[in-house]
Amino acid sequence: MEAKYGDLISDLPGLVKEKILGHLPIKEAIRTSILSSKWRHTWVSMPEIVIRNEDCLTCTKNEELILSTKFIQFMDWVFGVHNGSISKFSICSDHFSSKAVNRWILNLSRKQVQQIFISLDRYKMPSGFFMSRTLTHVYLEKCTVILPAKFNGFKMLQELGMKFCIISEDHFEKLVSSSPRLENLSLELFNNFYMMRICSRNLLKFDFWGEFKSIHLDAPRLASVCIRKFIPTYDMRNGSLVNNLESLKEVEILEINKHFVMDLAKGGPINKFPIKFEKLKQIKIEINVEDPKEVALALNLFRSAPLLEHVRIKAYSGRAIASVVSACSSSAATGNYLFEYLKTFAIFNLTVSESVLSLVHLVLISAPALKKVVLGKVDSSLLLNRLSQIEKLSKEAQIIVC
């Protein structure tokens, strides 16, 4: 069998071998050199180096100290022997000194690194990191970011992710605005910024989870936005965030959580948004269906999106909104359909009440293109019996209760 087919593992194409090495812990990747003569020097030019926390886990603190020291020496040797470019470098550990990681990052800047993933507790990014001209993807976790005075931006950067990071408002704004090719921006558990400014001419997707008091987006190509706040901004001027929606008028996908909705709803119900979301097709929103202000805000947001196709609501509470829904139902009865292009409508975390039934009723009588209504976590028998009596505008609409 071996004579007929040869050594299949050793005969794999070089790109396949490199892909295999990229999925192995660094020590295991280097041990492949003993497989055969054809594998002996493959690791020396592997384009991906991944350091995992388990590479240096031990039982006691003394052993941990000894092992981490040996591993640092081992990695210094790896970088010294490696003779190719490194497209991806990833490190996730709590066992290395900053000086050692700084040395490795300096090596990476000389090897045309494109992707860097760093998760190190209280690690301050070295100035050499900001000199890289080839970075396309950067993900930083638990790091401190201070831009050097001569920072000119990451000219090739396409994707930036930051989690539990410390950075000033000015440095964050400069980091984003100085990356002209940035398309995806993800911020999680972020600084409590007073004003978050994002100026990016090519940004397509923005995903935020954290705190801010006000946000300004200057991103004309932005298509997908997700904003999840931890808590509402209690000392914010009433309704001030509504003006920020101007920067979202070109988005196609919008997701906002309950605390951001609470901020938007401050200052009373909004009868009409000052802008139209001409491209918005999908909305995910959390609302308190007991609060008329939030319900009115959501319905007016829907009305401001003439091409809206998909709505997903995560609801909580379930009283006191019938009057708001009734006003919109009167508008639908005259042929001014609230959901002209809506295809799917989903709402979860419901308690069956007259106001909730009124909301679903509104969708059924004002969505001529409706295909599916999904209702989650409700009393199916009671709800289906009531909804079956409603004359739906779309004869193709299916009601699914789960």
Side-chain angles (χ1 to χ4, degrees):
M1 181 71 70
E2 184 176 344
K4 182 176 180 180
Y5 294 102
D7 185 349
L8 296 180
I9 295 179
S10 295
D11 291 336
L12 288 171
L15 290 177
V16 176
K17 291 179 183 178
E18 291 176 353
K19 201 69 176 177
I20 293 173
L21 294 179
H23 285 82
L24 293 175
I26 183 65
K27 285 187 175 181
E28 298 300 324
I30 293 177
R31 288 193 181 110
T32 59
S33 61
I34 67 174
L35 291 176
S36 72
S37 59
K38 294 182 179 180
W39 279 86
R40 186 166 300 153
H41 303 292
T42 301
W43 75 268
V44 178
S45 59
M46 61 181 182
E48 298 185 11
I49 293 181
V50 178
I51 302 175
R52 301 176 176 88
N53 200 44
E54 53 266 30
D55 289 338
C56 51
L57 286 179
T58 55
C59 298
T60 69
K61 289 186 177 180
N62 289 334
E63 289 176 349
E64 181 179 293
L65 177 62
I66 294 172
L67 183 57
S68 62
T69 301
K70 289 183 177 180
F71 190 83
I72 287 172
Q73 294 172 348
F74 168 73
M75 286 305 305
D76 286 338
W77 172 78
V78 169
F79 278 107
V81 175
H82 194 282
N83 62 10
S85 61
I86 299 176
S87 62
K88 177 181 177 180
F89 175 74
S90 176
I91 179 170
C92 177
S93 179
D94 299 319
H95 302 279
F96 301 117
S97 68
S98 297
K99 290 183 179 180
V101 181
N102 290 350
R103 288 197 303 272
W104 303 340
I105 289 180
L106 182 60
N107 269 286
L108 291 170
S109 64
R110 298 167 180 166
K111 290 183 173 290
Q112 299 180 320
V113 64
Q114 297 176 13
Q115 301 182 39
I116 283 185
F117 302 83
I118 297 178
S119 177
L120 296 172
D121 195 18
R122 290 176 291 184
Y123 175 63
K124 180 182 177 182
M125 299 303 299
S127 58
F129 166 76
F130 301 98
M131 300 298 109
S132 175
R133 298 181 179 180
T134 56
L135 282 172
T136 60
H137 294 73
V138 171
Y139 178 83
L140 306 177
E141 183 173 338
K142 299 181 290 186
C143 298
T144 298
V145 179
I146 301 176
L147 301 182
K150 296 182 179 181
F151 177 67
N152 293 319
F154 293 124
K155 304 306 180 184
M156 305 297 292
L157 190 64
Q158 300 172 18
E159 185 168 331
L160 173 63
M162 302 177 74
K163 180 178 181 180
F164 286 113
C165 288
I166 298 174
I167 185 172
S168 70
E169 292 185 26
D170 291 342
H171 282 206
F172 170 75
E173 183 178 353
K174 184 176 181 180
L175 176 61
V176 173
S177 62
S178 300
S179 303
R181 299 192 181 187
L182 187 65
E183 294 183 351
N184 295 328
L185 177 61
S186 175
L187 310 173
E188 187 172 349
L189 301 170
F190 215 59
N191 299 48
N192 187 4
F193 283 172
Y194 182 86
M195 166 63 82
M196 174 171 286
R197 297 182 183 275
I198 297 175
C199 180
S200 179
R201 310 312 295 173
N202 287 302
L203 190 66
L204 299 175
K205 183 177 181 181
F206 176 52
D207 194 330
F208 177 86
W209 188 13
E211 282 304 310
F212 61 83
K213 291 186 178 180
S214 187
I215 184 170
H216 177 75
L217 297 172
D218 181 9
R221 298 186 60 198
L222 196 58
S224 176
V225 174
C226 175
I227 298 178
R228 291 161 292 176
K229 294 191 68 183
F230 289 154
I231 58 175
T233 308
Y234 293 104
D235 59 345
M236 184 188 64
R237 184 179 301 175
N238 285 348
S240 64
L241 274 179
V242 174
N243 295 329
N244 299 141
L245 292 177
E246 174 73 26
S247 56
L248 301 177
K249 64 181 181 181
E250 299 294 322
V251 300
E252 299 176 15
I253 301 173
L254 178 62
E255 179 177 352
I256 52 180
N257 76 335
K258 60 183 179 181
H259 294 139
F260 190 60
V261 171
M262 290 172 67
D263 282 349
L264 290 173
K266 286 180 179 178
I270 302 170
N271 296 322
K272 184 179 180 181
F273 278 98
I275 59 173
K276 278 199 174 292
F277 300 89
E278 299 288 357
K279 298 180 180 179
L280 188 57
K281 294 184 178 180
Q282 180 176 324
I283 292 178
K284 294 182 180 180
I285 187 171
E286 291 181 347
I287 59 173
N288 178 2
V289 291
E290 184 180 336
D291 188 337
K293 294 180 182 179
E294 293 190 22
V295 175
L297 183 141
L299 292 175
N300 282 298
L301 177 60
F302 302 155
R303 183 183 290 115
S304 299
L307 300 182
L308 188 61
E309 294 182 358
H310 307 284
V311 171
R312 180 186 177 95
I313 297 176
K314 184 178 180 181
Y316 52 102
S317 297
R319 298 172 295 174
I321 65 168
S323 60
V324 176
V325 174
S326 177
C328 293
S329 298
S330 299
S331 177
T334 63
N336 296 318
Y337 301 127
L338 181 60
F339 304 103
E340 187 171 357
Y341 295 93
L342 190 67
K343 296 179 180 178
T344 64
F345 178 85
I347 183 167
F348 294 86
N349 296 354
L350 289 175
T351 56
V352 178
S353 66
E354 290 301 322
S355 54
V356 169
L357 287 169
S358 298
L359 181 58
V360 179
H361 180 275
L362 172 62
V363 174
L364 293 174
I365 66 171
S366 59
L370 191 65
K371 302 293 185 182
K372 182 169 59 176
V373 173
V374 179
L375 309 172
K377 300 180 181 179
V378 296
D379 185 334
S380 58
S381 58
L382 174 61
L383 193 61
L384 280 176
N385 182 53
R386 294 288 299 274
L387 294 179
S388 63
Q389 303 174 21
I390 299 174
E391 185 176 351
K392 299 175 291 186
L393 184 60
S394 171
K395 304 303 180 183
E396 299 181 8
Q398 294 181 325
I399 301 175
I400 301 173
V401 178
C402 55

